[in-house]
Amino acid sequence: MPQKIAVITSGGDVPGLNACIRAIVHAAHHHGIEVTGVRHGYDGLMNGELQTMNLDTVHDIMQRGGTILHSARSKEFETQVGRQRAAQTLRDAGIEHMIVIGGDGSLTGAGYFAAEHGFKIIGIPKTIDNDVSGTEVCIGYDTAMNTAMQALDRIRDTADSHERMFVIEVMGRDSGYIAYAAGLAGGADGILIPETTTDWQALTGVLKARHSGRRGSLLIVVAEGDESGGAQKIGERLTREFPEEKIGVCVLGHTQRGGAPTAADRILASRFGVAAVEALAAGRTGLMAGLVGGEIVFCPLADVKRKHLDLTAERQKLLELLL
Ligand code: F6P
């Protein structure tokens, strides 16, 4: 049984990180394990930024977005020298076990760290982009998707009132998860994602037909990683196609990273946090917790990769019939 576990949040923040930290502290407390928080991600680990965590530290954080430990994207941890410095911090603190809450890059780094220095590590996937293999869903995705959907709803109100056309850009790095889901849930008239190449003629054909039929507003959602180059470029292109229209362009940006986590994210984060502590308590290491078919499963950290939205026949059918 571990005596101490370090917990770290690495990479871009997401709603639900605090819920996960809370679950880790509670589960560890149950086993009599001390928890040490690492501040500022891997940079903080290399610089020895540790803080003791207890039930009081995590008492009222479940509903808060962001991470009380702060986070960072670290270039130095990608090097062996950087990981050596990080290892020294843990050795000095007498810590052999760690839980890393991160995206694909942070989790791959955790795998190297465990293999090089013998630490026992369990990873937990988090990213609004939902692009980590080994899990169907990552912490933060549900909240980001709902935030984007609510933004679409709000834009729809004003767009309807004025019968305007809007292009809305959502985050996702080079994955189309948020755009696909928020677009479907928000009843978009077009969804542009990196996993498909946009047939511009077909899209403008549909938009022209709806526009001439006076169907009120038109909303086009574009993923930031789409090959079209983003909302601004599409807006300019649509302005050429519809010269009489004032096309609205809205980039949702970091609004999608903040805010209170949804119930689904709080519960997922809590499940992952407890599962990670239980795994370390059972002597498991070098694994990432994931959710597959509603169940918690583990895969080797060494196998973690970036994934894309799989446009299954059913997902394609929804695009065909609902846009
Ligand atoms: O990976 C999460 C994410 O929010 C991406 O969707 C986006 O491309 C990127 O991070 C933005 O990063 P930054 O906050 O460094 O601008």
Side-chain angles (χ1 to χ4, degrees), residues 3-21:
Q3 289 190 331
K4 289 185 185 178
I5 294 176
V7 57
I8 184 167
T9 51
S10 171
D13 68 326
V14 302
L17 290 175
N18 285 328
C20 192
I21 295 167

Side-chain angles (χ1 to χ4, degrees), residues 12-14 73 126-129 131 170-174 178 224 253-254 257:
D13 68 326
V14 302
R73 291 192 168 99
K126 66 85 213 162
T127 165
I128 64 165
D129 308 334
D131 59 354
V170 300
M171 275 190 169
R173 195 164 47 178
D174 49 7
I178 298 177
E224 65 176 343
H254 288 79
R257 285 249 294 269

Side-chain angles (χ1 to χ4, degrees), residues 14-23 58 61-62 64-69:
V14 302
L17 290 175
N18 285 328
C20 192
I21 295 167
R22 175 183 179 273
V58 298
I61 65 170
M62 171 71 107
R64 285 164 56 187
T67 161
I68 58 165
L69 291 173

